[in-house]
């Protein structure tokens, strides 16, 4: 979403096409500010410098008198008594931005035009995104090997401040503390809950909001986001396309409210919400079974995967699935259609309410969580579901987002609110070479097309592990008791902030085969 100027276009053109609107503000005798196609163009003769590598700077070099600031990077602009100040996020490297500003004197006679110009600039800079967001920040003091607090102060706080966000920071004190905080949160007091952590804290936040008496209202009003301070940081990669705290902060400031499917997980007498994934088999073991190797970073997952791969480990189970789209060709077409549907969040919410009424599962906004139309794990198998023995299961992986880590686009057909989970199953008795090819294919973007990878769009399932007294089940990267559980999708129940407002920042699947750029 970050804009760059094209050499083939006029940077000073007004994309609105509305005549009579002056997009240039003269600031002083030798400088001007112009609203270009996708950037703020700063023209200033004072930018002229001598090239230090050119004969010690003694010979004047070609002058550069313009600076282009993408609208996405503009944080705020304001007019004081004598001057105008524009704060923006300046890239200091590929993955880092820092707050910078330009400041110019504005003549008294020009103030009326300056105010109108600032209003138009901020309109371009924020577009569909809400300004002056009210953000509750939760900092996991153990995140980032104990660096989360320092990273927040250095990378995030200045960006939120420059964007004039209203921020309330609270460190979490213990595991599960974010659940308590979110449960007690007034949904009318905040627009965003930002977790400075890995994916565990957003999981707790969704579940805390889900415990409220007005859970549906809270989950629709308060957007849940991540400031990446963990190992995988899948939420940030999917919504922001980055694992950088400063870039994520900028994306949150400019984020567009986006409905997100949430999944009810019932196990025993407990009901929890999942936003990311559920796994049984080699993926769950490779993640949860390598906690003692956290010092390896994301490489511990690859190590754990290869160890279990060489053993050709099987994870037998009985499985029942509510399949909605059964084959890859139909999934490609579904993705193409849905990813091109860029409806506003209000339109999305209205569509979701209409669909719930038609499906007889509607409840008022002030109610708690939606009823379970498929029942719980303790109920009889839903009508039309068949429990099938799966004795050679190697991997059961169900995803609600595309990226599970920075380079792990396991679910390229996943969409934020299409009402489906993406389910991948792979037999455990495939050859070791095929399994290794699968691991490599994830980074190459060819995993979806592999013939031994079964990929389906589903709206619910029941899985009953068997043949093991103990093992690993992962829900959003968190370990849960090893035993039967059932999942059911609730379309658009949650809310997040994303760059596009309708797709993830991952390569999706095209209708012709292979992956395609989303957005």
């Amino acid at each position: 979403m970050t804009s760059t100027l094209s050499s083939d276009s006029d940077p000073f053109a007004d994309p609105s096409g509305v005549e009579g609107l002056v997009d240039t503000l003269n600031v002083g005798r030798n400088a001007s500010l112009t609203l270009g196609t996708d950037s703020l163009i700063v023209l200033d003769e004072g930018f002229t410098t001598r090239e230090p590598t050119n004969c010690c700077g003694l010979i004047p070099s070609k002058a550069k008198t313009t600076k282009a600031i993408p609208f996405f990077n503009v944080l705020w602009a304001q007019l004081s008594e004598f001057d105008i100040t524009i704060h923006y996020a300046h890239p200091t490297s590929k993955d880092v931005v820092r707050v910078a500003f330009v400041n110019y004197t504005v003549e008294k006679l020009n103030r009326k035009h300056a105010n109108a110009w600032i209003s138009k600039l901020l309109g371009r800079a924020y577009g569909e995104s809400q300004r002056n967001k009210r953000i509750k920040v939760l900092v996991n003091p153990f995140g980032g090997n104990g660096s989360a607090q320092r990273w927040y102060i250095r990378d995030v706080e200045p960006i939120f401040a420059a964007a004039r966000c209203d921020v309330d920071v609270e460190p979490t004190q213990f595991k599960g503390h974010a659940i308590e905080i979110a449960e007690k949160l007034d949904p009318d007091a905040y627009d965003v809950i930002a977790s400075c952590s890995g994916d565990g804290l957003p999981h707790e936040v969704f579940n805390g909001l889900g415990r409220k008496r007005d859970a549906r209202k809270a989950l629709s009003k308060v957007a849940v986001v991540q400031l990446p301070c963990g190992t995988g940081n899948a939420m940030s990669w999917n919504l922001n396309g980055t694992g950088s705290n400063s870039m994520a902060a900028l994306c949150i400031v400019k984020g567009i409210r986006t409905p997100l499917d949430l999944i009810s997980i019932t196990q025993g007498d407990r009901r929890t919400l999942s936003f990311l994934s559920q796994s049984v088999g080699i993926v769950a073991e490779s993640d949860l079974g390598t906690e003692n190797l956290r010092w390896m970073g994301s490489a511990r997952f690859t190590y754990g995967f290869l160890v279990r791969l060489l053993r050709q480990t099987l994870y037998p189970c009985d499985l029942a699935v509510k399949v909605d789209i059964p084959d890859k060709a139909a999934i490609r077409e579904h993705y193409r259609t849905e990813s091109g549907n860029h409806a506003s969040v209000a339109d999305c919410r209205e569509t979701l309410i209409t669909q719930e009424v038609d499906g007889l599962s509607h409840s008022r906004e002030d109610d708690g969580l939606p009823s379970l139309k498929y029942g719980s794990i303790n109920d009889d198998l839903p009508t039309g579901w068949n429990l099938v023995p799966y004795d050679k299961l190697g991997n059961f992986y169900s995803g609600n987002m595309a990226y599970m880590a920075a380079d792990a686009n396991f679910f390229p057909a996943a969409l934020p609110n299409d009402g489906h989970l993406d389910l991948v199953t792979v037999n455990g008795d495939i050859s070791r070479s095929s399994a290794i090819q699968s691991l490599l294919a994830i980074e190459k973007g060819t995993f979806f097309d592999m013939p031994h990878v079964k990929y389906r769009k589903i709206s619910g399932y029941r899985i009953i592990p068997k043949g093991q007294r103990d093992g690993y089940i992962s829900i959003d990267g968190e370990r849960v008791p090893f035993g039967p559980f059932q999942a059911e999708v609730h379309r658009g129940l949650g809310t997040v902030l994303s760059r596009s407002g309708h797709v993830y920042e991952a390569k999706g699947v095209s209708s012709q085969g292979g992956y395609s750029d989303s957005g």
Side-chain angles (χ1 to χ4, degrees):
M1 193 169 170
T2 302
S3 302
T4 55
L5 288 176
S6 168
S7 59
D8 299 327
S9 60
D10 178 6
F12 299 96
D14 180 4
S16 68
V18 179
E19 295 183 3
L21 295 178
V22 180
D23 288 342
T24 296
L25 178 66
N26 293 316
V27 284
R29 193 168 60 180
N30 297 316
S32 65
L33 306 172
T34 298
L35 304 179
T37 304
D38 50 14
S39 298
L40 165 64
I41 310 299
V42 183
L43 176 64
D44 188 344
E45 297 294 337
F47 289 159
T48 304
T49 59
R50 295 178 183 272
E51 179 62 47
T53 59
N54 187 348
C55 295
C56 301
L58 298 176
I59 301 176
S61 60
K62 185 178 180 180
K64 182 178 181 182
T65 59
T66 62
K67 176 187 296 184
I69 304 172
F71 289 135
F72 186 77
N73 290 47
V74 173
L75 299 171
W76 201 250
Q78 68 178 41
L79 187 66
S80 62
E81 186 175 358
F82 299 108
D83 55 10
I84 183 174
T85 303
I86 301 170
H87 285 89
Y88 64 97
H90 172 67
T92 59
S93 69
K94 180 182 177 182
D95 298 315
V96 176
V97 292
R98 295 284 183 253
V99 174
F101 69 92
V102 291
N103 175 269
Y104 292 98
T105 300
V106 175
E107 298 292 337
K108 186 174 182 179
L109 294 176
N110 212 17
R111 289 181 60 83
K112 183 177 180 180
H113 171 50
N115 275 315
W117 185 90
I118 287 175
S119 178
K120 193 171 183 182
L121 168 65
L122 292 177
R124 297 272 188 90
Y126 280 85
E128 298 176 55
S129 180
Q130 175 189 350
R131 306 177 197 176
N132 308 119
K133 294 180 175 72
R134 300 168 300 167
I135 306 174
K136 176 75 173 182
V137 177
L138 304 181
V139 180
N140 177 4
F142 303 104
N145 293 321
S147 299
Q149 181 71 33
R150 178 169 58 86
W151 290 346
Y152 172 76
I153 294 171
R154 182 192 67 188
D155 300 332
V156 178
E157 190 175 56
I159 292 174
F160 285 172
R164 303 301 190 268
C165 293
D166 185 2
V167 181
D168 174 23
V169 183
E170 182 173 354
T172 55
Q173 304 294 331
F174 49 86
K175 186 176 179 63
H177 191 198
I179 296 177
E180 295 183 7
I181 295 172
E183 185 178 6
K184 296 174 183 176
L185 188 90
D186 179 1
D188 293 320
Y190 296 95
D191 305 303
V192 180
I193 301 180
S195 296
C196 201
S197 66
D199 295 308
L201 232 56
H203 172 84
E204 291 188 11
V205 170
F206 277 122
N207 279 279
L209 295 175
R211 288 185 180 183
K212 298 178 74 67
R213 292 186 62 183
D214 57 349
R216 291 172 64 85
K217 173 185 175 181
L219 287 164
S220 67
K221 291 197 69 171
V222 182
V224 180
V225 300
Q226 180 189 50
L227 293 161
C229 290
T231 303
N233 304 315
M235 182 180 236
S236 181
W237 281 106
N238 282 287
L239 301 177
N240 307 322
T242 183
S244 157
N245 279 298
S246 59
M247 283 298 300
L250 173 60
C251 290
I252 289 169
V253 166
K254 295 303 181 73
I256 301 170
R257 291 177 61 82
T258 307
L260 179 73
D261 295 342
L262 294 179
I263 299 90
S264 277
I265 305 294
T266 58
Q267 188 178 47
D269 295 324
R270 189 182 183 203
R271 178 183 181 182
T272 58
L273 294 175
S274 169
F275 78 94
L276 179 60
S277 65
Q278 311 92 47
S279 62
V280 180
I282 193 169
V283 170
E285 277 206 18
S286 300
D287 181 15
L288 300 175
T290 57
E291 286 289 319
N292 60 317
L293 301 175
R294 277 193 173 272
W295 57 270
M296 295 179 66
S298 59
R300 71 184 175 92
F301 176 85
T302 304
Y303 170 80
F305 189 93
L306 290 173
V307 168
R308 287 154 182 81
L309 179 67
L310 294 173
R311 296 175 185 164
Q312 290 189 309
T313 310
L314 300 179
Y315 306 87
C317 69
D318 291 333
L319 179 63
V321 181
K322 175 64 171 67
V323 178
D324 301 317
I325 308 178
D327 64 86
K328 293 179 181 178
I331 289 172
R332 290 184 191 282
E333 183 60 27
H334 169 82
Y335 182 86
R336 184 191 67 79
T337 302
E338 290 293 323
S339 62
N341 180 21
H342 191 179
S344 69
V345 67
D347 290 340
C348 286
R349 294 285 184 208
E350 186 63 34
T351 299
L352 297 176
I353 291 173
T354 301
Q355 290 173 342
E356 285 186 342
V357 171
D358 293 342
L360 302 179
S361 64
H362 177 58
S363 55
R364 299 190 311 273
E365 189 182 59
D366 290 337
D367 287 345
L369 293 176
S371 58
L372 295 169
K373 65 180 178 180
Y374 298 138
S376 75
I377 187 65
N378 300 316
D379 296 321
D380 292 336
L381 200 65
T383 303
W385 292 28
N386 295 311
L387 200 62
V388 178
Y390 205 153
D391 295 330
K392 294 185 177 182
L393 179 70
N395 185 30
F396 175 96
Y397 207 1
S398 183
N400 193 43
M401 292 185 170
Y403 284 118
M404 295 297 109
D407 297 317
N409 185 3
F410 269 98
F411 304 101
L415 290 160
N417 53 78
D418 67 345
H420 305 291
L421 274 168
D422 288 30
L423 175 62
V424 168
T425 52
V426 180
N427 285 342
D429 61 350
I430 62 173
S431 68
R432 291 183 175 91
S433 62
S434 293
I436 291 174
Q437 288 298 322
S438 298
L439 182 62
L440 298 174
I442 294 167
E443 290 190 20
K444 292 179 181 178
T446 58
F447 180 70
F448 179 88
D449 297 306
M450 303 196 79
H452 59 268
V453 174
K454 191 170 186 179
Y455 198 113
R456 292 166 282 178
K457 288 262 183 190
I458 67 172
S459 54
Y461 65 85
R462 177 179 294 186
I463 186 168
I464 304 174
K466 62 184 183 181
Q468 288 179 267
R469 295 186 60 182
D470 196 13
Y472 293 95
I473 296 175
S474 172
I475 307 296
D476 295 351
E478 301 296 310
R479 187 176 184 180
V480 301
F482 189 73
F485 68 95
Q486 184 164 306
E488 176 180 322
V489 181
H490 305 292
R491 186 171 188 182
L493 178 62
T495 306
V496 292
L497 299 178
S498 69
R499 292 184 70 153
S500 70
H502 67 296
V503 294
Y504 293 126
E505 298 297 311
K507 287 187 178 295
V509 291
S510 67
S511 56
Q512 290 78 31
Y515 290 12
S516 63
D517 288 327
S518 59

